[in-house]
């Protein structure tokens, strides 16, 4: 992995980043930076939180010069919140190169905003308000040499295409364009092609979950003592715990039962709205609550690095679900444990699943017997861990 310096970032920017604890580029940043700093148009797709703001922010501030006519760069974003957030993040690095950043969004007074916008090298704007300022001839975009569309898919979803089209038509044709979106298919892809010129395309796909680094336990339980066993487990040394149940009612019931035993948990529902989900996750991440109860559906897209325990309070439906659940712990070089509760009626199914996952020994470690026949091992064991190989030797 290259450093920011190796990718072409200047010393003042590297120092400004380091002051914020940002020392090594994320993947989308490494990939976009090289092309963007070389002046190429870019199409980029990567998931939320992967660092897209700096992927375009660094090239924007590196390629501008404080003596350029203003505004020299335009960043279009779908919402006011995002304008503020991106504006803040860019201000930080822009000041290292004596550049000014201004935000333009609706719902606040125009005169002050215009004053600041006219002095700024970089405008971060929502399409609606910017269009308004352009219609009133309060700002001009004739000197824009870099255009960024951030969250372009959301801009289209929110119906901003007419404004975006009008704004882009006012920009110099000779410019650099960077296009960021969660998808580059369909309508967004067409827009991306229309607005860019021979772009470099970068997509960072999500890592497939893996359970290779996790420790696995299969714990025999009776239905009526599962909550006690869970309480015991949760009192062990740990960071965040993610507890899987089969239904959302099960999630609510378990939350109540834990509450009565003094354990504050969050129940995450697929059908809770995005705001509620986000609030729940934020308090989980900040450590206000360290037990999260989820169904398979509710946990979809959940992206947390500090989970040390995944507990299958209800067993997963099959081995694929097991990987999706337990794959959320032991990530990024950290250790983690997947614990599966197994009552007497579930033993057969879970042993079949354990067998498919090559976790037969772990299944038997706490007193249960596998009842699936041992699967013959393939001669070539490419990609298998040493642990598994020594186990097959044991047999
Ligand atoms: P995205 O736009 O892809 O959803 P953001 O650009 O908002 O993601 O970045 C998410 C968070 O990660 C921000 O808090 C940002 O400051 C932080 N961040 C970005 N790049 C890095 C990095 N290279 N190292 C550490 N933190 C970073
Ligand atoms: Mg973003």
């Amino acid at each position: 992995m290259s450093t920011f310096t190796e990718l072409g970032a200047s010393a003042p920017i590297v120092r400004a980043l380091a002051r914020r604890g940002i020392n090594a580029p994320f993947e989308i940043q490494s990939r976009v930076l090289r092309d963007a700093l070389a002046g190429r148009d870019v199409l980029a797709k990567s998931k939320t939180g992967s660092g897209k703001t700096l992927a375009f922010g660094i090239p924007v501030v590196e390629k501008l010069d404080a003596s350029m006519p203003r505004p020299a760069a335009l960043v279009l974003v779908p919402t006011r919140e995002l304008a503020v957030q991106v504006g803040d993040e860019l201000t930080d690095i822009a000041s290292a190169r004596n550049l000014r950043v201004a935000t333009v969004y609706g719902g606040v007074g125009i005169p002050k905003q215009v004053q600041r916008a006219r002095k700024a090298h970089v405008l971060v704007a929502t399409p609606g308000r910017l269009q308004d300022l352009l219609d009133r001839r309060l700002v001009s975009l004739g000197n824009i040499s870099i255009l960024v569309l951030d969250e372009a898919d959301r801009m289209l979803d929110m119906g901003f295409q007419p404004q975006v089209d009008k704004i882009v038509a006012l920009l110099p044709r000779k410019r650099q364009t960077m296009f960021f979106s969660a998808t580059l298919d369909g309508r967004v892809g067409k827009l991306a092609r229309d607005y860019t010129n021979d772009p470099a395309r970068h997509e960072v796909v999500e890592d497939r979950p893996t359970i290779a680094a996790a420790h696995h336990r299969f714990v025999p339980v009776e239905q009526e003592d599962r909550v006690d066993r869970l309480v015991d487990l949760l009192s062990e040394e740990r960071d965040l715990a993610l507890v899987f149940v089969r239904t959302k009612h099960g999630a609510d019931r378990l939350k109540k039962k834990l509450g009565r035993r003094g354990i504050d948990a969050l129940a995450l529902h697929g059908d809770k709205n995005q705001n509620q989900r986000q609030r729940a996750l934020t308090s989980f991440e900040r450590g206000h609550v360290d037990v999260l109860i989820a169904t398979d559906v509710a946990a979809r897209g959940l992206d947390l690095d500090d989970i040390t325990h995944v507990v299958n309070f209800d067993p997963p439906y099959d081995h694929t679900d097991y990987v999706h659940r337990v794959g959320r712990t032991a990530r990024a070089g950290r250790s983690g444990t997947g614990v599966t509760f197994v009552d007497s009626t579930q033993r057969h199914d879970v042993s079949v699943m354990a067998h498919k996952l090559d976790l037969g020994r772990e299944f038997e470690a706490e007193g249960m017997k596998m009842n699936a026949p041992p699967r013959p091992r393939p001669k070539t064991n490419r990609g298998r861990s040493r642990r598994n190989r020594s186990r097959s030797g044991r047999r």
Side-chain angles (χ1 to χ4, degrees), residues 65-124:
D65 193 292
S67 66
M68 285 176 162
R70 312 170 194 187
L74 171 64
V75 180
L76 288 178
V77 297
T79 64
R80 169 186 173 147
E81 289 71 30
L82 204 59
V84 172
Q85 194 186 316
V86 169
D88 285 348
E89 192 146 8
L90 294 195
T91 300
D92 216 40
I93 51 174
S95 60
R97 299 203 5 99
N98 296 317
L99 301 166
R100 284 174 182 239
V101 178
T103 47
V104 166
Y105 48 79
V108 296
I110 287 185
K112 264 203 179 145
Q113 208 172 54
V114 167
Q115 252 177 27
R116 292 206 194 94
R118 284 182 174 157
K119 289 191 203 140
H121 302 87
V122 182
L123 278 192
V124 181

Side-chain angles (χ1 to χ4, degrees), residues 227 230 243 245 247-269 272 280 289 291-294 313:
V227 177
L230 180 60
V243 181
V245 293
T247 65
K248 53 187 186 202
H249 297 298
D252 287 331
R253 273 199 308 272
L254 182 58
K255 178 183 152 65
K256 277 196 198 121
K257 286 180 186 166
L258 287 178
R260 275 186 235 124
R261 286 167 166 81
I263 294 175
D264 212 7
L266 279 170
L268 196 63
H269 285 182
K272 285 206 172 140
V289 168
V291 179
L292 185 64
I293 306 169
F313 189 79

Side-chain angles (χ1 to χ4, degrees), residues 49-306:
S50 58
K52 292 189 285 295
T53 313
L54 289 174
F56 62 75
I58 295 171
V60 164
V61 300
E62 292 286 11
K63 297 195 76 79
L64 299 189
D65 193 292
S67 66
M68 285 176 162
R70 312 170 194 187
L74 171 64
V75 180
L76 288 178
V77 297
T79 64
R80 169 186 173 147
E81 289 71 30
L82 204 59
V84 172
Q85 194 186 316
V86 169
D88 285 348
E89 192 146 8
L90 294 195
T91 300
D92 216 40
I93 51 174
S95 60
R97 299 203 5 99
N98 296 317
L99 301 166
R100 284 174 182 239
V101 178
T103 47
V104 166
Y105 48 79
V108 296
I110 287 185
K112 264 203 179 145
Q113 208 172 54
V114 167
Q115 252 177 27
R116 292 206 194 94
R118 284 182 174 157
K119 289 191 203 140
H121 302 87
V122 182
L123 278 192
V124 181
T126 56
R129 173 56 70 93
L130 182 59
Q131 181 63 53
D132 193 8
L133 300 189
L134 290 165
D135 287 346
R136 302 181 193 207
R137 300 184 187 283
L138 293 171
V139 292
S140 131
L141 300 177
N143 294 309
I144 296 288
S145 58
I146 306 178
L147 167 68
V148 178
L149 292 108
D150 190 21
E151 304 207 3
D153 52 328
R154 269 179 81 199
M155 273 193 285
L156 291 197
D157 285 347
M158 293 172 68
F160 280 135
Q161 173 142 23
Q163 287 94 330
V164 174
D165 281 339
K166 270 197 195 162
I167 291 165
V168 173
L170 293 172
L171 304 178
R173 290 185 69 85
K174 195 173 158 332
R175 61 163 197 264
Q176 182 177 15
T177 303
M178 294 184 248
F179 195 101
F180 288 76
S181 178
T183 166
L184 292 171
D185 301 332
R187 213 152 61 93
V188 190
K190 174 162 187 332
L191 195 72
R193 284 191 298 278
D194 288 350
Y195 287 174
T196 55
N197 177 21
D198 184 28
R201 190 173 167 132
H202 295 289
E203 298 186 25
V204 177
V205 292
E206 232 163 299
D207 292 340
R208 288 259 211 83
T210 128
I211 57 167
H215 175 65
H216 304 269
R217 290 184 57 197
F218 292 85
V219 180
V221 295
E222 291 311 326
Q223 279 296 319
E224 55 278 12
D225 57 39
R226 285 190 307 169
V227 177
D228 291 333
R229 303 304 296 271
L230 180 60
V231 170
D232 291 346
L233 256 178
L234 294 175
S235 65
E236 287 174 10
E237 192 174 318
R238 64 179 174 84
D239 206 330
L240 306 181
L242 176 59
V243 181
F244 278 98
V245 293
R246 217 164 248 180
T247 65
K248 53 187 186 202
H249 297 298
D252 287 331
R253 273 199 308 272
L254 182 58
K255 178 183 152 65
K256 277 196 198 121
K257 286 180 186 166
L258 287 178
R260 275 186 235 124
R261 286 167 166 81
I263 294 175
D264 212 7
L266 279 170
L268 196 63
H269 285 182
D271 60 1
K272 285 206 172 140
N273 71 38
Q274 193 55 35
N275 266 345
Q276 285 170 315
R277 269 172 73 87
Q278 200 48 53
R279 246 180 296 147
L281 282 179
T282 306
S283 64
F284 188 59
E285 275 185 308
R286 293 201 178 136
H288 301 321
V289 168
D290 60 9
V291 179
L292 185 64
I293 306 169
T295 59
D296 293 284
V297 172
R300 216 174 271 162
L302 190 67
D303 188 31
L304 297 164
D305 276 335
D306 299 324

Side-chain angles (χ1 to χ4, degrees), residues 4 20-26 29 46-54 85 89 150-151:
F4 281 116
R20 292 179 40 207
I22 295 178
N23 298 304
F26 286 164
Q29 294 164 353
S46 69
K47 66 178 177 175
T48 307
S50 58
K52 292 189 285 295
T53 313
L54 289 174
Q85 194 186 316
E89 192 146 8
D150 190 21
E151 304 207 3

